[in-house]
Amino acid sequence: MRLAVENLDVSLSGRPVLHGVGLTVEPGEVVGLLGPNGAGKSTLMRALAGQIAASGTMRLGADDLAALPSAARARLLAYLPQSRIIGWRLMVGDLVGLGRLPWRGFGARLRPHDAEIVARALDLMDVAHLAHRPATELSGGEQARVLAARAVAQDTPVLIADEPASGLDPAHQITMMRALARLAGEGRAILVSLHDLTLAARWCDRVVMLKDGRLAAEGAPEAVMTAENLAAIYGVAAHITRDEGGLILAPIGLTDGGAP
Amino acid sequence: MKPLALNLALALLALALFLASLAVGPAELGVSESVRGLFAGGGEAAAIIMREIRLPRALLGLSIGFTLGMAGAVLQGFLRNPLAEPGIIGVSAMAAFGAVAVFYSGLAGSALYALPAGALTGALAAVLLLMALAARNGSTLTLILAGVALSSLAGALTALVLNLSPNPFASYEIIFWLLGSLKDRSIAHVWLALPLMAAGWLLIALSARAIDALSLGEEAAASLGIHMARTRFLIVAGVALGVGAATAVAGTIGFVGLVVPHLIRPLTTRMPSRLLLPAGLGGAALLLAADVAVRLVLPAGELNVGVLTALIGAPFFLWLVVRARREVF
Amino acid sequence: MSEKAAPSRFPSPLRGGWTAAKGGRTGGVLSAVLNAYLPRLRRTLRSGASLWLLRSHLPLKGGDRASVLPAALLTLATLTAPAGAQPPARVMSLNVCTDQLAMALAAPGQLVSVSFLAREPDLSPLHREAERYPVNRGMAEDVFLARPDLVVTGTYTLHNTTQLLKRLGFRVEEFSFVQTLDTIPRDIRRMGKLLGREEEAEAMAAEFEAGLAEVEASQCGPRPTALAYEQNGVALGKGTLADSVLTAAGFKNLATEEGVEGMAPFPLELVVEKKPDIVIVPGSKGDAPSLGAFVPRHPALRALPATRIGAFVPRGSWSCGGPAVLEAVKALNALRQEIASCEASP
C-alpha cells in the first residue's frame, strides 16, 4: 500500500513547522527521513499517524488518511513514537501483544493467529528470549526493540518509526535496520527517521531530507547524500567513502570553520 | 495467578464478608433467625433488622467498595500514575462538597436526591479539572499536588457550608463528609446510589482497551486506534458517576481505591484492564471488612468506616511514595 | 461535667457550645475535626478566640486600643460593685434555658437581653416573648457593651465566657444543666430570688409542683415503654430531663432500661429489637436539612407495626427545665392514657 503526501503544512501552537512537504513511500521500500534536530521529522510522522492536525493531502492507497476512523487507520498504519514509555511492569510478551489491539474484539484474548504474529515480531526484533521478563527491567536498548516489536505486531501495510535505532548498540542498530528491510521485503511501506547517516545510506532504498520544515533533498542515498547536501542541511563536513555495501559517512567537522 | 482463579477467589472473599456484614450488629440475632428474617419478611424484629438496616448497609458496602476499587484502578491506568485514587486526587472531597452545598442549602427541601445531584456535579468538576491538569503536565507530582489543593479547598468549603447552615446539627456532620460511614443507611440510599454506580462501572469497563494501550503513552495508544477524547469522556463520566454516587450516600471513604489495586496488581499480568474487575471485588471486600471491623471494635459509639480506611491507607500511601521513587509498578 | 451527663434534649456540645463554636471556629477542616472529637481542646481554643475577639473588637472608633483596654477594665471594676439588697436593674441572660426563667419572672425593663436561641421555636417555649427583647450571641463582648448588673447563664455553656466575665468583675450566676423535674421548682425559686421577684417565682413553682403531683397521682399499673430518639440516633437516658418527664407521665424509658446514661447513641437495631410502644422523634417542621434527621425517620422504625412514632410533646416544651415542661408531661400522660388506660386496668 502506497503512502503519498502532498503539500503538507503543519503548525504547532500557531507556529508553522512544516511547509508544503511532499513524499511517497512505495510498498516494499524503506524510506529514510533525515534532517537535523528541529527540521520537522517527528512532526511529519505524527501528522501521518493522525496525532496532530495537518493540511494538505495524505493518502494511504486510495484512502484519505485524515478521513479514516482511528480504528481503521490502526489496521493500516503502525506508528512507533520516539518517546519510549512503558507504564507498568508488563511482561514483554504482553506488551508486544498490545500491538494486536486494533484487530481484537472487545476484551478478547489473543487468538492463536495473533499469538503467531506476536511471536514473529519478537523474533524479528531479537527479543523472543525476553518474552517472559518484565519490560521495565530491561536495558534501554532492549526496551527500544520491544517497543518496536509492538509496532511490528500491528501487522500493517505501512510502518512509521521515529528514530527506532537511537540508543541501540551497533549490533542491534543493524538488527533493527535489517528487520525493517525484511518487513519491506514482505511488501510493506516503511518510513523511518534516522540520525545515523551511514545506517541510513546502507539500509534505506531512498532518503528524504528535511531542513527547517521544507523538503531539502530526496532520492537514492548515493544521489542525495553528498558532501554538499550534508553541509547545506546539517552544517557538517563529512568524510564519505564507499564499499560494496554502499556509502560510509563520517561527520568530521562543522562547515562554519569548526573543522578539527 | 490465572485471572479466572483470582476473580473467583476475590468474589468469594467479598461474598463471605458480605455475609459477615449481614451477621454483625448490636441486635444479637442467631444465624437461623437472621436467615429467616432476611427471606421471610413481615413485621418481626429480625426481619426489619435484616431487611431495613443490615441489608442496605451490606449492599452499600459491597457496591461502594467495588466502585472505589474500580475507580482507583482505572484512574491509575489512565493517568499511568500509581498514586492516583479518587480520594487522594480530590474527587471524593469535591463530591462531598457538592452534596453538602446542594443538600444543606435546602434547595431541594431535605430530599435525599439532592445528595447525588450535588455529589455528581462536584465529582465531575474535580475530574475535569484534574484531567485538564494531567493533560498539560503528566507528572505524578502535579497530580498529587493538585489533589491536595483540591481536597483542602473542598474540605474548607464543606466546613463553611455546614457552619452556615441554620440547623445546629449540621456543623457536626462534617465528620461524616470527611470520613464517611455506612451507619444507619436505608434501602432508599441503595436505590439512589446503586444505579448510578452501575452506570459508572459500565462506562469504566468500556475504557478497558484504552487503558491497556495507554500503558505505552498517549501517542502509542492513539496509534493503536484508541480515540483519546472518547476514552477521556468514558473515564471522567464513569469515575464521576461512581464516586459521586458513593460519596453522596456514604461520605468520603478514602484510600480503598489506592490500597486495593496495589495489593492485587502483582497477582495479575499488570495489564490495566485485567485489574479492573479484581480491584472492584477487592475494594468491595476491603470496605466490607472495614465496616464489619468498626462495628466489632466499638459496638456502641461506632467509629466511622472512613476513619479506619484512612488509618490503613495513609501509611500505605506513604510507603508507596517512598517506593515509587525507585520502582515501576 | 462530662458531656454525656448533660441531661438536655440536645447533644451537649451543641447546647453548650454551638453559639461560641459557630462564632469562634475559624480553622476549617482541622478545627472541625478537633471540635467534634476533642471538646476539651476546643474549649481551650475557644477561650483563646474569645480573648482575641474581646481585644480586637472593642468599639473604640478612632481610639487607641492598647491604652483604652486597661482603662475600660478599671471602669468596669467600679461599675460592678456588689448589688446589695437592691434587685439588679439590668439583667442579661446568655443561655436559652436561663432565658426561659428570666423572661417568665423578670420585672418590666429588668431584662436587658436574652440569647439569640431564645427566638428558636424548637428550643424555646417562650420564643414569642423573646421577640420583645434584644438578643445577644453569648459573647463576652456583648456583655461588656451592655454592662449588666447580673448575668445569668448555664454551667457548661460558654464556660470560658463565664470565666472571663468573672475575671472582668461581672456578677455571673450559673444554673446547672443537670436538670430533671425535681430541679425545676428549685431553679424557678432561685431565679426569683436573684431577680428580686420571689413572690412571682413562688407562685410559679407551686403551680408547677401541683400540676406535676396531679399527673403523678393519676398513674397506675404497667407502664408502656417509650424512647426519646434524637437526631443521629441519640437517645435520652438516665438522668436526663426527658427521662424524668417520661417517668412522670407513666412510661418506662427504654434508653434507661438499656443502661443509657445521659445522652448516648442508641443503635437503630436495638430500637427495632425492643419495639418500644412509642418513639418520640424531633418535629421536622421548618428545620434546615441535616443527615442526622434521617435516622429517627429511618424506614426500619416505620416498619414496626405496633410502635407509635411522632413528636408528641408540644414544640420546644421539654428542651429546657422550665415551667413549660409541665406541658410535655401532660401531653405524654394523655398519650399514655390512650395507649394503656388507667381506668381499664384498675
Side-chain angles (χ1 to χ4, degrees), chain C residues 163-224:
Chain C
Q163 294 305 318
L164 181 64
L165 290 174
K166 283 182 173 169
R167 222 163 39 238
L168 290 176
F170 286 98
R171 181 181 169 210
V172 181
E173 288 292 338
E174 294 172 84
F175 280 72
S176 162
F177 280 91
V178 182
Q179 289 176 319
T180 63
L181 285 173
D182 294 341
T183 65
I184 292 172
R186 213 163 60 213
D187 282 345
I188 294 173
R189 290 188 176 103
R190 180 176 165 214
M191 183 64 86
K193 199 168 177 197
L194 287 170
L195 299 181
R197 306 275 289 171
E198 287 92 342
E199 271 175 46
E200 289 83 352
E202 185 48 46
M204 188 184 284
E207 192 190 330
F208 183 87
E209 284 165 334
L212 190 60
E214 193 184 328
V215 172
E216 282 175 335
S218 73
Q219 293 310 329
C220 61
R223 295 166 161 250

Side-chain angles (χ1 to χ4, degrees), chain A residues 17 66 80 87 111 159-160 164 175 177 179 191 195 207 221 238 240 247 257:
Chain A
V17 177
L80 177 62
R111 290 159 302 176
L159 171 64
I160 295 176
T175 313
M177 295 315 293
L191 180 66
H195 274 306
V207 294
I240 304 177
L247 296 178

Side-chain angles (χ1 to χ4, degrees), chain B residues 9-24 54 57-59 61-62 182 281-293 295-296:
Chain B
L10 287 169
L12 284 173
L13 182 64
L15 180 69
L17 287 159
F18 180 81
L19 296 176
S21 176
L22 285 177
V24 172
R54 292 197 192 165
R57 183 173 192 155
L59 283 174
L62 186 76
L182 297 172
L281 294 170
L286 177 65
L287 187 55
L288 284 167
D291 191 43
V292 168
R295 275 177 282 175
L296 291 177

Side-chain angles (χ1 to χ4, degrees), chain C residues 117-140:
Chain C
L117 291 176
R119 292 181 176 177
E120 291 281 327
D122 285 323
L123 299 175
S124 169
L126 296 181
H127 60 99
R128 286 211 183 77
E129 279 76 4
E131 299 292 335
R132 294 192 281 127
Y133 295 95
V135 293
N136 63 63
R137 292 252 148 200
M139 304 281 195

Side-chain angles (χ1 to χ4, degrees), chain B residues 230-316:
Chain B
R230 181 174 164 274
T231 303
R232 204 166 280 133
F233 165 79
L234 285 174
I235 292 172
V236 168
V239 170
L241 274 170
V243 175
T247 308
V249 296
T252 301
I253 296 175
F255 297 104
V256 173
L258 178 81
V259 174
V260 173
H262 277 280
L263 290 182
I264 294 175
R265 187 173 285 119
L267 305 176
T268 68
T269 60
R270 291 187 168 78
M271 201 55 91
S273 69
R274 291 302 173 89
L275 187 58
L276 292 179
L277 183 58
L281 294 170
L286 177 65
L287 187 55
L288 284 167
D291 191 43
V292 168
V294 293
R295 275 177 282 175
L296 291 177
V297 174
L298 279 173
E302 203 176 290
L303 196 63
N304 278 15
V305 71
V307 174
L308 192 60
T309 60
L311 285 177
I312 301 169
F316 189 84

